[in-house]
Amino acid sequence: MAETVADSVKLIATSPCAGLLPLSIGTMTASEEPPAALTSIAAYRGQEDALSEMLKTAHGMGWPKPGRTTGKEGARALWFGQGQALLVGPAPDPGLARHAALTDQSDAWAMVRLSGAGSQAVLARLTPLDLRRGSFKRGHTARTEIAHMMGSLTRLGEEAFLILVFRSMAATLAHDLEAAMQAVAARTRL
Amino acid sequence: MRIDCPCCGSRDIREFTYKGDALALERPDPDAGDAVWNDYVHNRDNPAGPTRELWYHEMGCAAWLVVTRDTVSHEIKAVELASAAKGDVA
């Protein structure tokens, strides 16, 4: 049988930030998060309580309130918009589908961790969000503008943030992070 | 300029998109007739003072908001979810 295109082309999976990250400048590091299942969960009307119970049973985390996260490293739920959360890590329990619309978003988002002293100053150059610790604490999350792109921002620690933008925008994010990291690092050298 | 989103809290104007007068919440009946529909589609008041406007929190929670804003002072007097303003329980 003649060789088809499919036989001769080898498809190789690459992560959104392959070849772009990690990036270490000054005291800051931007690195890609390990690939994880991403599922958007949109609760059906009036089903939030039942959904929260199901999430607790199945994945050990409650339904996140607006601007908050639940769960922990490796299995997290980020508030992701009105009536919506993003499950990061585990494959969703099929039972969740009784209370919510589940949509597989794996591979759709670039997930970047920015950490190290100065990280907050870097993000202050890229987002209009109030990042001060009094109003954006560990475990807080926001949908906001990041380098002119719509994204999701979560504080993981004192100087550690999780940044999500559309996968197609990964190169732009890496570029703008690099410029901001260089600018912040340069100021500390003055 | 900042808008106090009922869902997200006080956010910068860059996160929002302006739609126009909140008139769209009072869509006429399909059989209302040409004159009513012509008025709804094309004619807008241009008041100096308080207006009710639709804003979209595009970069944030994706909620449509009804913002009561004074076009003279730019003071924002009230913000509510459009779904709440319409009496929808979403």
Side-chain angles (χ1 to χ4, degrees), chain A residues 58-96:
Chain A
H59 300 295
M61 64 183 86
W63 177 249
K65 292 190 173 70
R68 298 292 185 271
T69 59
T70 57
K72 54 186 192 299
E73 193 78 40
R76 227 191 280 274
L78 313 177
W79 174 83
F80 216 56
Q82 269 208 118
Q84 207 182 108
L86 187 74
L87 181 64
V88 182
D93 186 283
L96 294 170

PDB file of all heavy atoms in Angstrom, chain A residues 58-96:
ATOM      1  N   ALA A  58     -15.063  13.963  45.609  1.00  0.00           N
ATOM      2  CA  ALA A  58     -14.277  13.401  44.511  1.00  0.00           C
ATOM      3  C   ALA A  58     -12.841  13.906  44.502  1.00  0.00           C
ATOM      4  O   ALA A  58     -11.915  13.156  44.185  1.00  0.00           O
ATOM      5  CB  ALA A  58     -14.954  13.717  43.179  1.00  0.00           C
ATOM      6  N   HIS A  59     -12.654  15.168  44.806  1.00  0.00           N
ATOM      7  CA  HIS A  59     -11.314  15.753  44.636  1.00  0.00           C
ATOM      8  C   HIS A  59     -10.783  16.447  45.883  1.00  0.00           C
ATOM      9  O   HIS A  59      -9.709  17.048  45.842  1.00  0.00           O
ATOM     10  CB  HIS A  59     -11.325  16.746  43.468  1.00  0.00           C
ATOM     11  CG  HIS A  59     -11.708  16.111  42.154  1.00  0.00           C
ATOM     12  ND1 HIS A  59     -10.929  15.156  41.553  1.00  0.00           N
ATOM     13  CD2 HIS A  59     -12.783  16.287  41.356  1.00  0.00           C
ATOM     14  CE1 HIS A  59     -11.515  14.774  40.420  1.00  0.00           C
ATOM     15  NE2 HIS A  59     -12.641  15.438  40.283  1.00  0.00           N
ATOM     16  N   GLY A  60     -11.543  16.419  46.973  1.00  0.00           N
ATOM     17  CA  GLY A  60     -11.053  16.989  48.229  1.00  0.00           C
ATOM     18  C   GLY A  60     -10.971  18.500  48.268  1.00  0.00           C
ATOM     19  O   GLY A  60     -10.140  19.067  48.971  1.00  0.00           O
ATOM     20  N   MET A  61     -11.809  19.150  47.502  1.00  0.00           N
ATOM     21  CA  MET A  61     -11.814  20.623  47.516  1.00  0.00           C
ATOM     22  C   MET A  61     -13.225  21.130  47.286  1.00  0.00           C
ATOM     23  O   MET A  61     -14.023  20.470  46.629  1.00  0.00           O
ATOM     24  CB  MET A  61     -10.888  21.152  46.419  1.00  0.00           C
ATOM     25  CG  MET A  61     -11.355  20.793  45.020  1.00  0.00           C
ATOM     26  SD  MET A  61     -10.237  21.331  43.742  1.00  0.00           S
ATOM     27  CE  MET A  61      -9.082  19.979  43.675  1.00  0.00           C
ATOM     28  N   GLY A  62     -13.539  22.279  47.866  1.00  0.00           N
ATOM     29  CA  GLY A  62     -14.873  22.854  47.686  1.00  0.00           C
ATOM     30  C   GLY A  62     -14.953  23.703  46.432  1.00  0.00           C
ATOM     31  O   GLY A  62     -13.975  23.882  45.720  1.00  0.00           O
ATOM     32  N   TRP A  63     -16.155  24.203  46.170  1.00  0.00           N
ATOM     33  CA  TRP A  63     -16.387  25.097  45.035  1.00  0.00           C
ATOM     34  C   TRP A  63     -15.836  26.473  45.404  1.00  0.00           C
ATOM     35  O   TRP A  63     -16.225  27.031  46.440  1.00  0.00           O
ATOM     36  CB  TRP A  63     -17.895  25.160  44.758  1.00  0.00           C
ATOM     37  CG  TRP A  63     -18.323  26.081  43.671  1.00  0.00           C
ATOM     38  CD1 TRP A  63     -19.025  27.246  43.825  1.00  0.00           C
ATOM     39  CD2 TRP A  63     -18.118  25.922  42.270  1.00  0.00           C
ATOM     40  NE1 TRP A  63     -19.257  27.805  42.599  1.00  0.00           N
ATOM     41  CE2 TRP A  63     -18.718  27.022  41.628  1.00  0.00           C
ATOM     42  CE3 TRP A  63     -17.477  24.950  41.496  1.00  0.00           C
ATOM     43  CZ2 TRP A  63     -18.700  27.187  40.245  1.00  0.00           C
ATOM     44  CZ3 TRP A  63     -17.446  25.109  40.124  1.00  0.00           C
ATOM     45  CH2 TRP A  63     -18.062  26.212  39.513  1.00  0.00           C
ATOM     46  N   PRO A  64     -14.939  27.043  44.592  1.00  0.00           N
ATOM     47  CA  PRO A  64     -14.331  28.318  44.989  1.00  0.00           C
ATOM     48  C   PRO A  64     -15.285  29.505  44.843  1.00  0.00           C
ATOM     49  O   PRO A  64     -16.000  29.620  43.853  1.00  0.00           O
ATOM     50  CB  PRO A  64     -13.143  28.446  44.027  1.00  0.00           C
ATOM     51  CG  PRO A  64     -13.516  27.628  42.845  1.00  0.00           C
ATOM     52  CD  PRO A  64     -14.405  26.523  43.324  1.00  0.00           C
ATOM     53  N   LYS A  65     -15.274  30.371  45.863  1.00  0.00           N
ATOM     54  CA  LYS A  65     -16.035  31.609  45.789  1.00  0.00           C
ATOM     55  C   LYS A  65     -15.341  32.548  44.803  1.00  0.00           C
ATOM     56  O   LYS A  65     -14.170  32.346  44.473  1.00  0.00           O
ATOM     57  CB  LYS A  65     -16.071  32.267  47.175  1.00  0.00           C
ATOM     58  CG  LYS A  65     -16.874  31.495  48.208  1.00  0.00           C
ATOM     59  CD  LYS A  65     -17.029  32.364  49.461  1.00  0.00           C
ATOM     60  CE  LYS A  65     -17.965  31.713  50.453  1.00  0.00           C
ATOM     61  NZ  LYS A  65     -17.379  30.511  51.073  1.00  0.00           N
ATOM     62  N   PRO A  66     -16.042  33.590  44.336  1.00  0.00           N
ATOM     63  CA  PRO A  66     -15.397  34.531  43.416  1.00  0.00           C
ATOM     64  C   PRO A  66     -14.071  35.057  43.975  1.00  0.00           C
ATOM     65  O   PRO A  66     -13.993  35.461  45.128  1.00  0.00           O
ATOM     66  CB  PRO A  66     -16.421  35.663  43.300  1.00  0.00           C
ATOM     67  CG  PRO A  66     -17.736  35.000  43.517  1.00  0.00           C
ATOM     68  CD  PRO A  66     -17.464  33.920  44.524  1.00  0.00           C
ATOM     69  N   GLY A  67     -13.030  34.976  43.142  1.00  0.00           N
ATOM     70  CA  GLY A  67     -11.726  35.496  43.533  1.00  0.00           C
ATOM     71  C   GLY A  67     -10.922  34.586  44.450  1.00  0.00           C
ATOM     72  O   GLY A  67      -9.898  35.002  44.980  1.00  0.00           O
ATOM     73  N   ARG A  68     -11.391  33.350  44.649  1.00  0.00           N
ATOM     74  CA  ARG A  68     -10.682  32.454  45.566  1.00  0.00           C
ATOM     75  C   ARG A  68     -10.322  31.137  44.877  1.00  0.00           C
ATOM     76  O   ARG A  68     -10.880  30.791  43.845  1.00  0.00           O
ATOM     77  CB  ARG A  68     -11.554  32.148  46.789  1.00  0.00           C
ATOM     78  CG  ARG A  68     -11.906  33.358  47.629  1.00  0.00           C
ATOM     79  CD  ARG A  68     -10.689  33.928  48.338  1.00  0.00           C
ATOM     80  NE  ARG A  68     -11.040  35.012  49.223  1.00  0.00           N
ATOM     81  CZ  ARG A  68     -11.104  36.294  48.845  1.00  0.00           C
ATOM     82  NH1 ARG A  68     -10.838  36.626  47.603  1.00  0.00           N
ATOM     83  NH2 ARG A  68     -11.411  37.234  49.720  1.00  0.00           N
ATOM     84  N   THR A  69      -9.401  30.406  45.526  1.00  0.00           N
ATOM     85  CA  THR A  69      -9.043  29.083  45.051  1.00  0.00           C
ATOM     86  C   THR A  69      -9.320  28.084  46.167  1.00  0.00           C
ATOM     87  O   THR A  69      -9.382  28.453  47.337  1.00  0.00           O
ATOM     88  CB  THR A  69      -7.547  28.984  44.692  1.00  0.00           C
ATOM     89  OG1 THR A  69      -6.779  29.291  45.859  1.00  0.00           O
ATOM     90  CG2 THR A  69      -7.182  29.965  43.595  1.00  0.00           C
ATOM     91  N   THR A  70      -9.505  26.839  45.797  1.00  0.00           N
ATOM     92  CA  THR A  70      -9.590  25.766  46.788  1.00  0.00           C
ATOM     93  C   THR A  70      -8.632  24.672  46.355  1.00  0.00           C
ATOM     94  O   THR A  70      -8.107  24.691  45.236  1.00  0.00           O
ATOM     95  CB  THR A  70     -11.019  25.194  46.893  1.00  0.00           C
ATOM     96  OG1 THR A  70     -11.415  24.730  45.594  1.00  0.00           O
ATOM     97  CG2 THR A  70     -12.016  26.234  47.378  1.00  0.00           C
ATOM     98  N   GLY A  71      -8.411  23.699  47.258  1.00  0.00           N
ATOM     99  CA  GLY A  71      -7.491  22.621  46.942  1.00  0.00           C
ATOM    100  C   GLY A  71      -6.065  23.027  47.242  1.00  0.00           C
ATOM    101  O   GLY A  71      -5.812  23.987  47.962  1.00  0.00           O
ATOM    102  N   LYS A  72      -5.129  22.262  46.684  1.00  0.00           N
ATOM    103  CA  LYS A  72      -3.721  22.546  46.959  1.00  0.00           C
ATOM    104  C   LYS A  72      -2.886  22.163  45.740  1.00  0.00           C
ATOM    105  O   LYS A  72      -3.432  21.760  44.713  1.00  0.00           O
ATOM    106  CB  LYS A  72      -3.266  21.801  48.209  1.00  0.00           C
ATOM    107  CG  LYS A  72      -3.517  20.285  48.169  1.00  0.00           C
ATOM    108  CD  LYS A  72      -3.161  19.674  49.512  1.00  0.00           C
ATOM    109  CE  LYS A  72      -3.108  18.162  49.484  1.00  0.00           C
ATOM    110  NZ  LYS A  72      -4.365  17.496  49.130  1.00  0.00           N
ATOM    111  N   GLU A  73      -1.572  22.320  45.906  1.00  0.00           N
ATOM    112  CA  GLU A  73      -0.633  21.992  44.825  1.00  0.00           C
ATOM    113  C   GLU A  73      -0.989  20.645  44.183  1.00  0.00           C
ATOM    114  O   GLU A  73      -1.173  19.653  44.887  1.00  0.00           O
ATOM    115  CB  GLU A  73       0.784  21.926  45.428  1.00  0.00           C
ATOM    116  CG  GLU A  73       1.896  21.895  44.412  1.00  0.00           C
ATOM    117  CD  GLU A  73       2.177  23.276  43.828  1.00  0.00           C
ATOM    118  OE1 GLU A  73       2.159  24.254  44.585  1.00  0.00           O
ATOM    119  OE2 GLU A  73       2.415  23.355  42.607  1.00  0.00           O
ATOM    120  N   GLY A  74      -1.121  20.615  42.879  1.00  0.00           N
ATOM    121  CA  GLY A  74      -1.375  19.354  42.191  1.00  0.00           C
ATOM    122  C   GLY A  74      -2.850  19.073  41.956  1.00  0.00           C
ATOM    123  O   GLY A  74      -3.198  18.322  41.047  1.00  0.00           O
ATOM    124  N   ALA A  75      -3.723  19.651  42.767  1.00  0.00           N
ATOM    125  CA  ALA A  75      -5.172  19.485  42.578  1.00  0.00           C
ATOM    126  C   ALA A  75      -5.854  20.722  43.118  1.00  0.00           C
ATOM    127  O   ALA A  75      -6.069  20.861  44.312  1.00  0.00           O
ATOM    128  CB  ALA A  75      -5.669  18.230  43.304  1.00  0.00           C
ATOM    129  N   ARG A  76      -6.162  21.625  42.209  1.00  0.00           N
ATOM    130  CA  ARG A  76      -6.627  22.932  42.620  1.00  0.00           C
ATOM    131  C   ARG A  76      -7.865  23.303  41.822  1.00  0.00           C
ATOM    132  O   ARG A  76      -8.013  22.883  40.676  1.00  0.00           O
ATOM    133  CB  ARG A  76      -5.535  23.959  42.291  1.00  0.00           C
ATOM    134  CG  ARG A  76      -5.218  24.931  43.410  1.00  0.00           C
ATOM    135  CD  ARG A  76      -4.340  26.026  42.891  1.00  0.00           C
ATOM    136  NE  ARG A  76      -2.924  25.683  42.769  1.00  0.00           N
ATOM    137  CZ  ARG A  76      -2.048  25.779  43.763  1.00  0.00           C
ATOM    138  NH1 ARG A  76      -2.428  26.168  44.947  1.00  0.00           N
ATOM    139  NH2 ARG A  76      -0.786  25.483  43.564  1.00  0.00           N
ATOM    140  N   ALA A  77      -8.733  24.107  42.433  1.00  0.00           N
ATOM    141  CA  ALA A  77      -9.831  24.713  41.681  1.00  0.00           C
ATOM    142  C   ALA A  77      -9.664  26.222  41.754  1.00  0.00           C
ATOM    143  O   ALA A  77      -9.570  26.791  42.836  1.00  0.00           O
ATOM    144  CB  ALA A  77     -11.182  24.294  42.258  1.00  0.00           C
ATOM    145  N   LEU A  78      -9.570  26.863  40.591  1.00  0.00           N
ATOM    146  CA  LEU A  78      -9.464  28.315  40.530  1.00  0.00           C
ATOM    147  C   LEU A  78     -10.815  28.875  40.130  1.00  0.00           C
ATOM    148  O   LEU A  78     -11.428  28.386  39.178  1.00  0.00           O
ATOM    149  CB  LEU A  78      -8.449  28.761  39.462  1.00  0.00           C
ATOM    150  CG  LEU A  78      -7.075  28.100  39.372  1.00  0.00           C
ATOM    151  CD1 LEU A  78      -6.312  28.676  38.190  1.00  0.00           C
ATOM    152  CD2 LEU A  78      -6.313  28.331  40.654  1.00  0.00           C
ATOM    153  N   TRP A  79     -11.276  29.903  40.856  1.00  0.00           N
ATOM    154  CA  TRP A  79     -12.443  30.626  40.368  1.00  0.00           C
ATOM    155  C   TRP A  79     -12.065  31.192  38.998  1.00  0.00           C
ATOM    156  O   TRP A  79     -10.982  31.722  38.811  1.00  0.00           O
ATOM    157  CB  TRP A  79     -12.825  31.737  41.345  1.00  0.00           C
ATOM    158  CG  TRP A  79     -13.938  32.601  40.830  1.00  0.00           C
ATOM    159  CD1 TRP A  79     -15.257  32.335  40.914  1.00  0.00           C
ATOM    160  CD2 TRP A  79     -13.820  33.858  40.151  1.00  0.00           C
ATOM    161  NE1 TRP A  79     -15.977  33.343  40.319  1.00  0.00           N
ATOM    162  CE2 TRP A  79     -15.115  34.283  39.846  1.00  0.00           C
ATOM    163  CE3 TRP A  79     -12.738  34.644  39.759  1.00  0.00           C
ATOM    164  CZ2 TRP A  79     -15.373  35.478  39.174  1.00  0.00           C
ATOM    165  CZ3 TRP A  79     -12.975  35.827  39.095  1.00  0.00           C
ATOM    166  CH2 TRP A  79     -14.288  36.235  38.805  1.00  0.00           C
ATOM    167  N   PHE A  80     -12.973  31.065  38.021  1.00  0.00           N
ATOM    168  CA  PHE A  80     -12.543  31.345  36.641  1.00  0.00           C
ATOM    169  C   PHE A  80     -13.548  32.210  35.886  1.00  0.00           C
ATOM    170  O   PHE A  80     -13.610  32.183  34.672  1.00  0.00           O
ATOM    171  CB  PHE A  80     -12.335  30.009  35.909  1.00  0.00           C
ATOM    172  CG  PHE A  80     -11.194  30.015  34.928  1.00  0.00           C
ATOM    173  CD1 PHE A  80      -9.921  30.355  35.339  1.00  0.00           C
ATOM    174  CD2 PHE A  80     -11.396  29.663  33.604  1.00  0.00           C
ATOM    175  CE1 PHE A  80      -8.863  30.358  34.437  1.00  0.00           C
ATOM    176  CE2 PHE A  80     -10.350  29.667  32.695  1.00  0.00           C
ATOM    177  CZ  PHE A  80      -9.084  30.009  33.120  1.00  0.00           C
ATOM    178  N   GLY A  81     -14.358  32.945  36.638  1.00  0.00           N
ATOM    179  CA  GLY A  81     -15.381  33.769  35.995  1.00  0.00           C
ATOM    180  C   GLY A  81     -16.715  33.514  36.662  1.00  0.00           C
ATOM    181  O   GLY A  81     -16.815  32.666  37.562  1.00  0.00           O
ATOM    182  N   GLN A  82     -17.728  34.235  36.229  1.00  0.00           N
ATOM    183  CA  GLN A  82     -19.050  34.104  36.836  1.00  0.00           C
ATOM    184  C   GLN A  82     -19.552  32.669  36.770  1.00  0.00           C
ATOM    185  O   GLN A  82     -19.709  32.123  35.673  1.00  0.00           O
ATOM    186  CB  GLN A  82     -20.032  34.976  36.059  1.00  0.00           C
ATOM    187  CG  GLN A  82     -20.177  36.364  36.573  1.00  0.00           C
ATOM    188  CD  GLN A  82     -21.550  36.888  36.249  1.00  0.00           C
ATOM    189  OE1 GLN A  82     -22.324  37.204  37.126  1.00  0.00           O
ATOM    190  NE2 GLN A  82     -21.854  36.966  34.974  1.00  0.00           N
ATOM    191  N   GLY A  83     -19.809  32.068  37.920  1.00  0.00           N
ATOM    192  CA  GLY A  83     -20.369  30.722  37.960  1.00  0.00           C
ATOM    193  C   GLY A  83     -19.466  29.661  37.361  1.00  0.00           C
ATOM    194  O   GLY A  83     -19.941  28.609  36.929  1.00  0.00           O
ATOM    195  N   GLN A  84     -18.166  29.945  37.337  1.00  0.00           N
ATOM    196  CA  GLN A  84     -17.255  29.030  36.652  1.00  0.00           C
ATOM    197  C   GLN A  84     -15.971  28.823  37.464  1.00  0.00           C
ATOM    198  O   GLN A  84     -15.478  29.750  38.097  1.00  0.00           O
ATOM    199  CB  GLN A  84     -16.890  29.632  35.294  1.00  0.00           C
ATOM    200  CG  GLN A  84     -16.522  28.615  34.252  1.00  0.00           C
ATOM    201  CD  GLN A  84     -16.116  29.303  32.948  1.00  0.00           C
ATOM    202  OE1 GLN A  84     -14.961  29.314  32.589  1.00  0.00           O
ATOM    203  NE2 GLN A  84     -17.076  29.887  32.252  1.00  0.00           N
ATOM    204  N   ALA A  85     -15.456  27.609  37.434  1.00  0.00           N
ATOM    205  CA  ALA A  85     -14.170  27.327  38.064  1.00  0.00           C
ATOM    206  C   ALA A  85     -13.338  26.490  37.116  1.00  0.00           C
ATOM    207  O   ALA A  85     -13.873  25.827  36.220  1.00  0.00           O
ATOM    208  CB  ALA A  85     -14.373  26.579  39.381  1.00  0.00           C
ATOM    209  N   LEU A  86     -12.021  26.535  37.299  1.00  0.00           N
ATOM    210  CA  LEU A  86     -11.123  25.708  36.496  1.00  0.00           C
ATOM    211  C   LEU A  86     -10.480  24.686  37.413  1.00  0.00           C
ATOM    212  O   LEU A  86      -9.813  25.047  38.387  1.00  0.00           O
ATOM    213  CB  LEU A  86     -10.047  26.572  35.824  1.00  0.00           C
ATOM    214  CG  LEU A  86      -9.162  25.817  34.826  1.00  0.00           C
ATOM    215  CD1 LEU A  86      -9.928  25.531  33.538  1.00  0.00           C
ATOM    216  CD2 LEU A  86      -7.895  26.602  34.505  1.00  0.00           C
ATOM    217  N   LEU A  87     -10.724  23.423  37.101  1.00  0.00           N
ATOM    218  CA  LEU A  87     -10.108  22.343  37.862  1.00  0.00           C
ATOM    219  C   LEU A  87      -8.744  22.068  37.248  1.00  0.00           C
ATOM    220  O   LEU A  87      -8.644  21.733  36.066  1.00  0.00           O
ATOM    221  CB  LEU A  87     -11.008  21.103  37.813  1.00  0.00           C
ATOM    222  CG  LEU A  87     -10.540  19.868  38.584  1.00  0.00           C
ATOM    223  CD1 LEU A  87     -10.496  20.145  40.082  1.00  0.00           C
ATOM    224  CD2 LEU A  87     -11.452  18.682  38.295  1.00  0.00           C
ATOM    225  N   VAL A  88      -7.688  22.211  38.066  1.00  0.00           N
ATOM    226  CA  VAL A  88      -6.317  22.055  37.575  1.00  0.00           C
ATOM    227  C   VAL A  88      -5.702  20.832  38.220  1.00  0.00           C
ATOM    228  O   VAL A  88      -5.584  20.782  39.446  1.00  0.00           O
ATOM    229  CB  VAL A  88      -5.459  23.298  37.900  1.00  0.00           C
ATOM    230  CG1 VAL A  88      -4.053  23.134  37.342  1.00  0.00           C
ATOM    231  CG2 VAL A  88      -6.102  24.565  37.378  1.00  0.00           C
ATOM    232  N   GLY A  89      -5.330  19.857  37.438  1.00  0.00           N
ATOM    233  CA  GLY A  89      -4.662  18.667  37.967  1.00  0.00           C
ATOM    234  C   GLY A  89      -5.415  17.398  37.642  1.00  0.00           C
ATOM    235  O   GLY A  89      -5.165  16.777  36.604  1.00  0.00           O
ATOM    236  N   PRO A  90      -6.350  17.007  38.512  1.00  0.00           N
ATOM    237  CA  PRO A  90      -6.978  15.697  38.319  1.00  0.00           C
ATOM    238  C   PRO A  90      -7.960  15.675  37.146  1.00  0.00           C
ATOM    239  O   PRO A  90      -8.539  16.717  36.795  1.00  0.00           O
ATOM    240  CB  PRO A  90      -7.734  15.480  39.638  1.00  0.00           C
ATOM    241  CG  PRO A  90      -7.961  16.838  40.195  1.00  0.00           C
ATOM    242  CD  PRO A  90      -6.829  17.700  39.721  1.00  0.00           C
ATOM    243  N   ALA A  91      -8.102  14.502  36.550  1.00  0.00           N
ATOM    244  CA  ALA A  91      -9.166  14.318  35.570  1.00  0.00           C
ATOM    245  C   ALA A  91     -10.487  14.410  36.316  1.00  0.00           C
ATOM    246  O   ALA A  91     -10.619  13.871  37.411  1.00  0.00           O
ATOM    247  CB  ALA A  91      -9.019  12.957  34.893  1.00  0.00           C
ATOM    248  N   PRO A  92     -11.477  15.116  35.777  1.00  0.00           N
ATOM    249  CA  PRO A  92     -12.703  15.356  36.543  1.00  0.00           C
ATOM    250  C   PRO A  92     -13.506  14.075  36.773  1.00  0.00           C
ATOM    251  O   PRO A  92     -13.612  13.234  35.889  1.00  0.00           O
ATOM    252  CB  PRO A  92     -13.481  16.326  35.654  1.00  0.00           C
ATOM    253  CG  PRO A  92     -12.966  16.085  34.276  1.00  0.00           C
ATOM    254  CD  PRO A  92     -11.520  15.696  34.427  1.00  0.00           C
ATOM    255  N   ASP A  93     -14.050  13.967  37.982  1.00  0.00           N
ATOM    256  CA  ASP A  93     -14.934  12.847  38.294  1.00  0.00           C
ATOM    257  C   ASP A  93     -16.191  12.964  37.432  1.00  0.00           C
ATOM    258  O   ASP A  93     -16.783  14.048  37.354  1.00  0.00           O
ATOM    259  CB  ASP A  93     -15.293  12.914  39.780  1.00  0.00           C
ATOM    260  CG  ASP A  93     -16.087  11.706  40.225  1.00  0.00           C
ATOM    261  OD1 ASP A  93     -17.304  11.645  39.934  1.00  0.00           O
ATOM    262  OD2 ASP A  93     -15.479  10.827  40.858  1.00  0.00           O
ATOM    263  N   PRO A  94     -16.594  11.861  36.774  1.00  0.00           N
ATOM    264  CA  PRO A  94     -17.764  11.941  35.883  1.00  0.00           C
ATOM    265  C   PRO A  94     -19.030  12.417  36.605  1.00  0.00           C
ATOM    266  O   PRO A  94     -19.916  13.012  35.994  1.00  0.00           O
ATOM    267  CB  PRO A  94     -17.936  10.506  35.379  1.00  0.00           C
ATOM    268  CG  PRO A  94     -16.632   9.837  35.617  1.00  0.00           C
ATOM    269  CD  PRO A  94     -15.993  10.520  36.795  1.00  0.00           C
ATOM    270  N   GLY A  95     -19.109  12.172  37.916  1.00  0.00           N
ATOM    271  CA  GLY A  95     -20.280  12.567  38.703  1.00  0.00           C
ATOM    272  C   GLY A  95     -20.507  14.067  38.720  1.00  0.00           C
ATOM    273  O   GLY A  95     -21.622  14.541  38.935  1.00  0.00           O
ATOM    274  N   LEU A  96     -19.429  14.836  38.490  1.00  0.00           N
ATOM    275  CA  LEU A  96     -19.561  16.295  38.479  1.00  0.00           C
ATOM    276  C   LEU A  96     -20.505  16.758  37.378  1.00  0.00           C
ATOM    277  O   LEU A  96     -21.154  17.801  37.480  1.00  0.00           O
ATOM    278  CB  LEU A  96     -18.188  16.952  38.270  1.00  0.00           C
ATOM    279  CG  LEU A  96     -17.155  16.787  39.381  1.00  0.00           C
ATOM    280  CD1 LEU A  96     -15.784  17.267  38.916  1.00  0.00           C
ATOM    281  CD2 LEU A  96     -17.580  17.554  40.621  1.00  0.00           C
TER     282      LEU A  96
END
